[in-house]
């Protein structure tokens, strides 16, 4: 039962965080593509603040599903956050692949071209052509974007989770444990 609750809550939290992160990412990419520096900076700060708040909120909510005598350990919190980050990475990866393909295709190709100009003199021509094609395919491939974002969000969420878990952990309630022992003794 608890395993089902764990994955259900991780799915809910990860999907919501992923959708909100995708919206922020779309706005930030729009700001970068159109050179709106003020919006770009505001979106970077807002993204971090909202991400931390959502991570804390969902982890705290899940911690309350554990009974008082059980508590909620630091490890339980990290496991839950990392599970949420898997779902967040999937949602953001799909949204990134779709936005790269349909909304920001010219901008993404421009970024690839600018990056490849830096590499052009360093590598051989045949390697350059292969690298260029592979990079283009990766940035427009949904599967590559999903795995890339899962990996990225596990690292990002893991670092933020190190702090969040210290605020969401709960020690077992000793009074609840003592009451349970007294009830067991009375029943015997």
């Amino acid at each position: 039962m608890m395993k089902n609750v764990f994955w259900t809550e991780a799915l809910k939290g990860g999907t919501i965080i992923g959708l909100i992160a995708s919206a922020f990412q779309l706005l930030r990419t729009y700001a970068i593509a159109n050179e709106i520096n003020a919006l770009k900076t505001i979106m970077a700060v807002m993204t971090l603040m909202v991400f931390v708040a959502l991570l804390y909120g969902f982890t705290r909510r899940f911690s309350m599903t554990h009974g008082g005598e059980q508590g909620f350990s630091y490890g339980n919190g990290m496991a839950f956050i990392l599970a949420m980050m898997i779902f967040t990475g999937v949602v953001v990866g799909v949204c990134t692949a779709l936005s790269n393909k349909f909304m920001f295709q010219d901008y993404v190709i421009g970024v690839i071209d600018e990056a490849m100009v830096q590499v052009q003199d360093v590598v051989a021509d045949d390697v350059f052509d292969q690298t260029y094609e592979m990079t283009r395919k990766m940035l427009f491939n949904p599967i590559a974007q999903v795995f890339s974002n899962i990996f990225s969000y596990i690292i990002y969420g893991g670092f933020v989770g190190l702090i969040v878990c210290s605020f969401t952990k709960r020690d077992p309630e000793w009074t609840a444990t003592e009451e349970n022992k007294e009830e067991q003794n009375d029943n015997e």
Side-chain angles (χ1 to χ4, degrees):
M1 172 76 175
M2 202 58 184
K3 196 174 192 179
N4 290 339
V5 170
F6 176 87
W7 287 107
T8 302
E9 291 298 315
L11 173 65
K12 287 178 193 175
T15 302
I16 291 170
I17 292 171
L19 290 171
I20 292 171
S22 295
F24 279 122
Q25 182 178 354
L26 285 173
L27 287 171
R28 190 160 189 258
T29 304
Y30 174 78
I32 292 169
N34 293 307
E35 298 178 8
I36 306 171
N37 292 329
L39 182 60
K40 179 175 68 170
T41 305
I42 290 169
M43 293 311 300
V45 172
M46 289 291 295
T47 300
L48 179 62
M49 290 173 45
V50 170
F51 183 77
V52 170
L54 288 171
L55 215 57
Y56 173 78
F58 284 116
T59 306
R60 185 71 179 164
R61 180 176 153 210
F62 180 67
S63 76
M64 295 302 166
T65 63
H66 289 68
E69 68 263 357
Q70 239 179 330
F72 188 75
S73 71
Y74 191 89
N76 290 345
M78 280 304 292
F80 181 70
I81 287 174
L82 294 177
M84 277 196 306
M85 292 301 99
I86 292 170
F87 296 112
T88 300
V90 170
V91 171
V92 173
V94 169
C95 290
T96 300
L98 291 173
S99 69
N100 285 354
K101 180 73 175 168
F102 298 111
M103 296 174 69
F104 302 114
Q105 187 170 12
D106 294 335
Y107 170 72
V108 171
I109 291 172
V111 169
I112 294 169
D113 291 344
E114 286 178 29
M116 295 308 288
V117 165
Q118 303 297 321
V119 179
Q120 189 172 13
D121 297 332
V122 179
V123 296
D125 288 339
D126 59 332
V127 174
F128 176 81
D129 293 336
Q130 290 173 350
T131 304
Y132 182 77
E133 285 303 312
M134 185 178 70
T135 304
R136 281 192 68 171
K137 287 179 182 176
M138 294 289 284
L139 287 173
F140 294 107
N141 184 341
I143 295 171
Q145 287 297 317
V146 165
F147 282 113
S148 172
N149 278 286
I150 288 172
F151 181 72
S152 297
Y153 272 95
I154 285 176
I155 292 172
Y156 182 51
F159 280 125
V160 174
L162 292 172
I163 297 167
V164 168
C165 288
S166 63
F167 291 104
T168 59
K169 70 179 183 123
R170 290 184 303 114
D171 292 326
E173 296 174 5
W174 295 105
T175 56
T177 306
E178 292 298 321
E179 289 173 5
N180 289 343
K181 286 180 182 177
E182 288 175 12
E183 286 179 18
Q184 287 177 354
N185 289 336
D186 291 340
N187 290 336
E188 292 175 0

